[in-house]
Amino acid sequence: MNDVAARILHRLSKAGDFLSGEVLCREFCITRSAVWKHIQLLRNEGYHVEALTGRGYRLTSLTGRPVEAEVAPFLTVRRFGRSILYHEVTASTNMLAKSLASDGLPEGCVVVADAQTGGRGRMGRTWVSPSGVNLYFSLILRPGVPSIRVPQLTLLVAAAIHQALNSVVPGIAPLVKWPNDILINGRKVCGVLCEMQSEPDFTNFVVVGIGINVNQSEIPPELQDRATSIFLETGRLVSRPELLASFLNHFEPLYDAWLLEEDLGFILPYLERYSLLQSKQVTIDQLKRTISGTVSGIARGGELMLDGADGQTILISSGEADLQKRTL
Ligand code: BT5
């Protein structure tokens, strides 16, 4: 969709009623026939635009795709999501966002795809990304903080996703699973992958990649024991543009607060309250070792606090946490 068509779409969706061709001509500095051509273009993209002589144009239905014009009406924040680059399909929104951030794309821009052919998780794992149903997006950040603080962002993002899920789909009771998952009823509905480009005392940019299973009605067999979607848990179809906007609305103020703070201290009570692992016995798989213990909390730096059998508390900064069977 070209830029003028996207802006006309945005204007029509904000108006919620008929807008005369004359108003559109004036606001977009284009001729009547150009307005008509752009309306045709929107129709070709699947938007229903009613045209009535003497009254003008009215948008009667949206497509539900997470494009800028459909997300914008839900946005209440000023910076995040004001520019959304939408692709029907891309290999990985994180890969694309990293390359665009290297070229100078500013903080707050979001890269979204309807489908990914090479969606990625941590350590080269795959993120299953079918078309038309879910959210796959990457937000560009340029936090002026030392790179050592950047890993804290994953939990901050998880808190914002948790808040967005609660506000758009009340009653689903999601839980945060340290360090980067959101689960509903014990199954993963969302994963976060933060990647950065940095020098020791300076962070050039961070790309926050998020995949949320929204309206997916079938989970591939290999993931059935551990993945789910909002639709499968609630039977409700959720607006992808609204959910994306809600995340951005919740994340921008948390991010601004975090920039002013030294660490995650201000959000820890929230994270611990909704932590799947809190007070549970877990096994942590790291590259070279496996550690077991009882989770006593999350530290201000974002590490998992694990009480071992010897009574010592150790801080875990990375790894895969599994609930031990008897505490499931
Ligand atoms: C993650 O990794 O959970 C981070 C996922 C981030 C995906 C987003 S989508 C937009 C952006 N662009 C990208 O290319 N990536 C980001 P990890 O903790 O390593 O979990 C990966 C594991 O989750 C896989 O090995 C599977 O077991 C499981 N998995 C794969 N696809 C899934 C899905 N759609 N829903 C739930 N679980 C899935």
Side-chain angles (χ1 to χ4, degrees):
M1 186 188 310
N2 67 45
D3 191 40
V4 181
R7 280 163 46 217
I8 291 179
L9 177 63
H10 187 192
R11 184 70 178 87
L12 287 172
S13 80
K14 250 177 55 185
D17 198 355
F18 281 99
L19 274 184
S20 72
E22 203 184 315
V23 166
L24 292 172
C25 289
R26 209 174 39 241
E27 287 189 7
F28 294 96
C29 299
I30 53 176
T31 62
R32 269 178 182 272
S33 75
V35 169
W36 176 249
K37 272 190 203 144
H38 285 104
I39 296 288
Q40 285 306 111
L41 212 119
L42 291 175
R43 286 176 171 158
N44 292 343
E45 295 253 341
Y47 293 94
H48 292 180
V49 185
E50 194 179 347
L52 218 61
T53 318
R55 299 204 62 191
Y57 302 100
R58 183 173 66 160
L59 187 66
T60 55
S61 80
L62 295 163
T63 63
R65 278 179 296 201
V67 296
E68 186 173 301
E70 299 203 21
V71 175
F74 294 106
L75 276 180
T76 53
V77 285
R78 285 164 170 265
R79 303 188 331 272
F80 290 2
R82 292 293 165 185
S83 168
I84 294 182
L85 308 174
Y86 174 80
H87 291 259
E88 284 296 317
V89 60
T90 190
S92 148
T93 58
N94 261 36
M95 267 165 58
L96 187 54
K98 279 193 287 181
S99 129
L100 293 167
S102 295
D103 292 345
L105 209 67
E107 175 162 282
C109 289
V110 177
V111 178
V112 186
D114 187 56
Q116 296 184 120
T117 52
R120 293 181 312 123
R122 294 174 302 155
M123 293 181 287
R125 293 191 278 246
T126 300
W127 188 256
V128 175
S129 312
S131 70
V133 283
N134 293 335
L135 276 172
Y136 318 108
F137 62 95
S138 302
L139 168 68
I140 293 173
L141 299 176
R142 296 186 181 277
V145 301
S147 52
I148 193 162
R149 281 194 62 194
V150 170
Q152 296 170 11
L153 277 171
T154 304
L155 281 172
L156 197 67
V157 167
I161 295 167
H162 187 273
Q163 293 173 348
L165 286 171
N166 271 331
S167 90
V168 176
V169 202
I172 52 169
L175 290 174
V176 175
K177 179 170 179 257
W178 180 93
N180 70 320
D181 295 343
I182 307 284
L183 277 71
I184 304 176
N185 293 330
R187 289 192 162 83
K188 183 161 168 171
V189 74
C190 168
V192 181
L193 175 67
C194 289
E195 298 183 279
M196 68 171 156
Q197 192 192 79
S198 66
E199 284 148 47
D201 53 355
F202 181 72
T203 307
N204 192 4
F205 64 76
V206 180
V207 164
V208 174
I210 298 172
I212 310 179
N213 300 333
V214 184
N215 296 322
Q216 195 170 344
S217 58
E218 269 179 56
I219 301 292
E222 70 276 15
L223 291 180
Q224 263 168 18
D225 60 335
R226 72 194 97 137
T228 190
S229 73
I230 298 172
F231 175 74
L232 286 170
E233 294 302 320
T234 63
R236 278 183 54 191
L237 291 172
V238 167
S239 154
R240 289 184 288 162
E242 183 181 359
L243 185 57
L244 171 52
S246 181
F247 163 72
L248 297 166
N249 291 339
H250 284 95
F251 185 55
E252 188 178 301
L254 284 184
Y255 176 70
D256 286 344
W258 177 78
L259 287 176
L260 296 173
E261 302 278 337
E262 294 279 294
D263 50 39
L264 289 172
F266 72 103
I267 193 77
L268 282 187
Y270 185 92
L271 284 168
E272 288 183 348
R273 180 165 174 207
Y274 296 110
S275 162
L276 174 84
L277 304 180
Q278 187 66 24
S279 307
K280 299 274 169 47
Q281 285 198 294
V282 301
T283 301
I284 311 282
D285 266 332
Q286 294 184 318
L287 284 180
K288 290 194 179 143
R289 59 175 186 165
T290 300
I291 318 158
S292 295
T294 305
V295 173
S296 56
I298 296 171
R300 299 174 78 92
E303 303 89 350
L304 194 70
M305 293 163 68
L306 201 65
D307 293 347
D310 58 1
Q312 298 272 351
T313 302
I314 50 170
L315 297 186
I316 309 285
S317 52
S318 66
E320 199 68 49
D322 281 316
L323 288 174
Q324 286 177 11
K325 286 270 180 305
R326 60 202 161 92
T327 64
L328 271 172

